[in-house]
Amino acid sequence: MELSTLDYSFIIVFFSIVLAIGVIVSKKSGKNTSEFFLSGRTMPWWLLGLSMVATTFSTDTPNLVTDIVRTNGVSGNWVWWAFLITGLLTVFVYAKLWRKSNVNTDLEFYELRYGGPAAKFLRKFRAIYLGVIFNVITMSAVTLAAIKIGGIMLGLEPWQTVISAGLITVTFSALGGFKGVVYTDFLLFFVAMAGAIGAAYYLVNIPEVGGIQALMANEHVSDKLSILPDFSNKQALITLFVIPLAVQWWSSWYPGAEPGGGGYIAQRMLAAKNENHAIGATFFFNIMHYALRPWPWILVALASLVVYPDIASIQEAFPTIANDKLGHDLAYSAMLTKLPSGLLGLVLASLIAAYMSTISTQLNWGSSYIVYDFYKQQINPDASEKRLVAVGRISTVVLMVFSAALALFLQNALQLFEVLLVFGAGTGLIFILRWFWWRINAWSEITAMFASGIISILLKFTSIGAYFFATDTGIFPDWSEYIFVVLITTSIWMVATFLTQPESKEVLRSFYMKIQPGGPGWSKVVRDAEKDKQRIITTDEKWSVPAGISAMLLGCVLIYTCMFATGYWIYGYTLKASILTGVAIISGMLLARVWNKMKGTLL
């Protein structure tokens, strides 16, 4: 496939603007660690919200969605759509708590909520566990997608893609810090969305597909259109719908969808101007992430079933692709080769934008853990701000090198999604409860973390666990295994919680005074403090969690109906789309009333 001068112009201009942003903000970003990792906590909700959306639009996401749709149909996406519940719980309950904490990273929370050597160990260990290991794995999946796009669309060898894509990204990330990441995300969002929508519109209407009506009538597509799984198929209903909605959203830690907030989502909440801006950013992100953005990818995935109905047809069209890189996820890149000049350049720029946005966020977030939660705590507590920024920039480069190397050995994005999903199974409930139940302690988290990891590894190295490296089973992770890990891990950490000593009175009271979480889970701590003639309730505000849960439920109705309505408008199901649009409007009005009572005006 040959790129025209116009295509190259789009890409060159895009790269130039991104690098210019990194250079322009580099001086201020390098002033101190607060600027480098949190932009001085001055960011508005709309900019942070756009940054969250851009960050989660990575090069592997369209590939993952394509793999899901081709394998299990549109309804297969409930495996990640279920995380909306987690996202809205973060919006209406946890966003203000994170902003109140005023920590530099979500791992610093450990020494705010817990005390003693166990809390220090937990913070330092998870800095490496999440900031390096999990972070490198996640970035390698994104880089793998870039390798596949580069191989199919540009004929590049894997190492050529890794070097060319990674070099510019790591340069502006190391120079611009968090401010550079967020400012470039603003540009990347619009470029990425324009490319995704333009590609979907064009590819659905190419002669081989024949438009939306012909697409929906095609024999390879007609049985994959349903947004809900087939309720008469008990196995599909349970695996694709019931388990994700009933268990997965609260039980699993997954990057970008952590129960109770965390990771780079927490980083953006911590960078917000105030609590209202943190809430606004996360709510805007969830609307865009779930209700609107998936549909361009879904349409391309469905169209790919007409042009490339199976993996053999992809291999026939692209014989130079290595066998270990073949999979359904390649269909997205394969379809993009059919784009005309100009649009092709825009779409390539959008995919580069998606790659750079995600990787730059992961690099800045991961290096913040290394600097704040490991280097400063373990190696050099007296390090100057200049030294800490330098360590942040060095660790940014090192993380990029590790993730690029790992990407060269991987096969597909779904492979990693499944492994990460199970590896964090059973830990999610702790992240929800630790804010509102005094009895959770550092040993609860340590036990859960190790139990989940060890059980998952044991399963991985058995004949059952080996399943997770199969690529064309047509099934998501064995949910019986997932539930097994959840039940065993949860049982273990609950036992550990009651067998170990609770946190000290001083730690619990200090946390309560700072955060004011409220609720019956802290009543014992409040009563004990009153007996000691110490007032730890510093506000007369009514406990906001019940109202927050009401807002979460209304938000789920709003966003899910928006998602369904968008799909039905695209399908041409006018009556269903109109009804759901009406439900979305009503739920939005009810949500606005609840939100105004709870938090007042956003701006």
Side-chain angles (χ1 to χ4, degrees):
M1 183 184 67
E2 295 292 331
L3 296 182
S4 68
T5 302
L6 182 60
D7 296 323
Y8 280 116
S9 298
F10 273 120
I11 296 171
I12 292 170
V13 169
F14 171 75
F15 274 142
S16 301
I17 293 173
V18 167
L19 282 174
I21 291 172
V23 172
I24 290 170
V25 304
S26 61
K27 185 174 181 180
K28 187 171 183 181
S29 294
K31 188 166 68 173
N32 55 55
T33 51
S34 178
E35 287 289 343
F36 191 78
F37 294 118
L38 294 172
S39 191
R41 303 184 193 269
T42 59
M43 286 290 176
W45 68 271
W46 56 271
L47 189 55
L48 290 172
L50 285 174
S51 177
M52 291 181 194
V53 180
T55 292
T56 50
F57 185 172
S58 57
T59 42
D60 66 319
T61 314
N63 289 15
L64 174 63
V65 171
T66 300
D67 204 341
I68 289 172
V69 171
R70 288 173 62 91
T71 305
N72 290 303
V74 175
S75 63
N77 285 286
W78 282 101
V79 77
W80 66 273
W81 283 342
F83 283 125
L84 171 65
I85 305 172
T86 303
L88 291 187
L89 197 63
T90 297
V91 171
F92 295 112
V93 175
Y94 294 102
K96 70 170 187 175
L97 301 177
W98 277 113
R99 191 60 188 85
K100 274 184 177 181
S101 71
N102 208 38
V103 293
N104 291 303
T105 69
D106 58 313
L107 297 189
E108 188 179 329
F109 169 87
Y110 288 127
E111 292 193 72
L112 178 67
R113 173 62 176 82
Y114 312 127
K120 294 181 183 297
F121 165 79
L122 188 58
R123 181 180 178 183
K124 288 179 286 193
F125 181 84
R126 285 185 74 85
I128 301 301
Y129 177 68
L130 296 180
V132 178
I133 299 173
F134 258 66
N135 198 19
V136 164
I137 291 173
T138 302
M139 288 191 293
S140 66
V142 178
T143 304
L144 172 65
I147 288 173
K148 294 192 174 189
I149 292 168
I152 282 187
M153 300 188 70
L154 301 173
L156 297 177
E157 292 294 325
W159 67 268
Q160 293 174 317
T161 301
V162 165
I163 291 176
S164 57
L167 190 60
I168 293 178
T169 306
V170 77
T171 300
F172 90 80
S173 300
L175 286 174
F178 184 76
K179 190 185 292 288
V181 169
V182 173
Y183 284 179
T184 53
D185 278 348
F186 180 78
L187 169 67
L188 301 179
F189 168 80
F190 291 104
V191 173
M193 287 303 299
I197 294 171
Y201 181 82
Y202 181 86
L203 293 171
V204 166
N205 291 287
I206 60 175
E208 297 99 308
V209 178
I212 190 69
Q213 295 302 321
L215 172 66
M216 293 171 60
N218 187 275
E219 61 178 334
H220 298 296
V221 175
S222 58
D223 63 341
K224 296 184 181 295
L225 291 171
S226 178
I227 301 173
L228 291 172
D230 183 359
F231 280 64
S232 64
N233 184 335
K234 186 178 292 186
Q235 181 179 0
L237 179 64
I238 292 174
T239 58
L240 299 181
F241 190 70
V242 174
I243 296 298
L245 283 176
V247 180
Q248 178 188 305
W249 71 269
W250 59 263
S251 62
S252 184
W253 186 96
Y254 186 79
E258 301 88 344
Y264 55 78
I265 300 297
Q267 184 186 32
R268 278 151 179 74
M269 291 188 286
L270 292 168
K273 287 182 178 181
N274 54 44
E275 297 165 29
N276 283 348
H277 282 269
I279 293 170
T282 48
F283 187 48
F284 177 76
F285 158 66
N286 279 278
I287 292 175
M288 293 297 298
H289 183 59
Y290 293 99
L292 302 176
R293 192 174 56 183
W295 285 106
W297 305 330
I298 290 171
L299 287 173
V300 174
L302 292 172
S304 75
L305 286 165
V306 179
V307 182
Y308 306 104
D310 51 33
I311 294 177
S313 60
I314 299 175
Q315 186 174 29
E316 182 181 356
F318 302 95
T320 60
I321 298 298
N323 288 333
D324 67 340
K325 302 298 181 190
L326 277 172
H328 282 294
D329 57 337
L330 272 177
Y332 189 84
S333 303
M335 290 295 291
L336 298 184
T337 63
K338 299 184 175 296
L339 295 174
S341 175
L343 181 56
L344 177 61
L346 175 63
V347 170
L348 273 175
S350 76
L351 292 173
I352 294 168
Y355 172 83
M356 295 175 72
S357 174
T358 302
I359 293 295
S360 61
T361 288
Q362 297 286 147
L363 289 173
N364 187 264
W365 164 58
S367 63
S368 72
Y369 282 3
I370 294 171
V371 170
Y372 280 124
D373 303 302
F374 186 78
Y375 180 81
K376 189 174 182 181
Q377 296 296 310
Q378 182 73 23
I379 299 175
N380 190 357
D382 300 319
S384 65
E385 287 293 309
K386 185 176 180 180
R387 170 62 63 86
L388 292 176
V389 170
V391 172
R393 285 174 166 157
I394 292 170
S395 60
T396 296
V397 175
V398 172
L399 288 172
M400 184 73 244
V401 171
F402 283 167
S403 65
L406 178 59
L408 297 174
F409 296 96
L410 297 176
Q411 185 167 350
N412 66 27
L414 186 56
Q415 186 181 51
L416 277 180
F417 178 83
E418 294 168 346
V419 172
L420 290 178
L421 196 62
V422 176
F423 209 76
T427 62
L429 191 59
I430 288 181
F431 303 127
I432 293 174
L433 292 179
R434 63 187 182 180
W435 295 87
F436 297 109
W437 186 27
W438 70 277
R439 195 59 181 81
I440 297 287
N441 60 34
W443 290 106
S444 306
E445 294 212 29
I446 292 171
T447 305
M449 179 176 60
F450 280 101
S452 177
I454 291 170
I455 295 169
S456 299
I457 290 171
L458 289 176
L459 288 176
K460 175 180 176 296
F461 288 103
T462 64
S463 58
I464 298 175
Y467 157 80
F468 292 107
F469 289 93
T471 59
D472 293 310
T473 60
I475 307 170
F476 281 105
D478 187 331
W479 289 115
S480 61
E481 293 182 22
Y482 178 84
I483 293 175
F484 174 79
V485 176
V486 169
L487 290 176
I488 296 301
T489 300
T490 303
S491 299
I492 290 173
W493 72 252
M494 285 291 288
V495 170
T497 299
F498 287 105
L499 288 181
T500 54
Q501 291 293 317
E503 299 299 333
S504 68
K505 292 190 298 184
E506 292 74 20
V507 168
L508 294 173
R509 293 176 186 180
S510 174
F511 176 79
Y512 194 97
M513 290 183 69
K514 185 176 183 65
I515 305 299
Q516 296 293 293
W522 286 94
S523 57
K524 182 181 185 303
V525 175
V526 173
R527 287 196 306 269
D528 289 347
E530 290 175 348
K531 289 178 183 177
D532 294 339
K533 299 188 180 345
Q534 181 181 3
R535 181 176 174 81
I536 62 173
I537 299 178
T538 60
T539 176
D540 294 328
E541 287 182 8
K542 185 179 179 182
W543 192 39
S544 62
V545 170
I549 292 174
S550 298
M552 178 197 77
L553 295 174
L554 286 169
C556 285
V557 173
L558 169 63
I559 294 175
Y560 279 138
T561 50
C562 284
M563 180 182 75
F564 276 48
T566 302
Y568 288 145
W569 283 119
I570 292 170
Y571 290 171
Y573 299 166
T574 306
L575 180 60
K576 289 182 179 180
S578 299
I579 293 171
L580 287 170
T581 300
V583 174
I585 292 171
I586 294 171
S587 60
M589 293 170 63
L590 293 173
L591 176 60
R593 291 181 61 183
V594 173
W595 192 348
N596 285 333
K597 287 181 181 178
M598 196 174 77
K599 289 297 296 179
T601 183
L602 171 65
L603 298 177

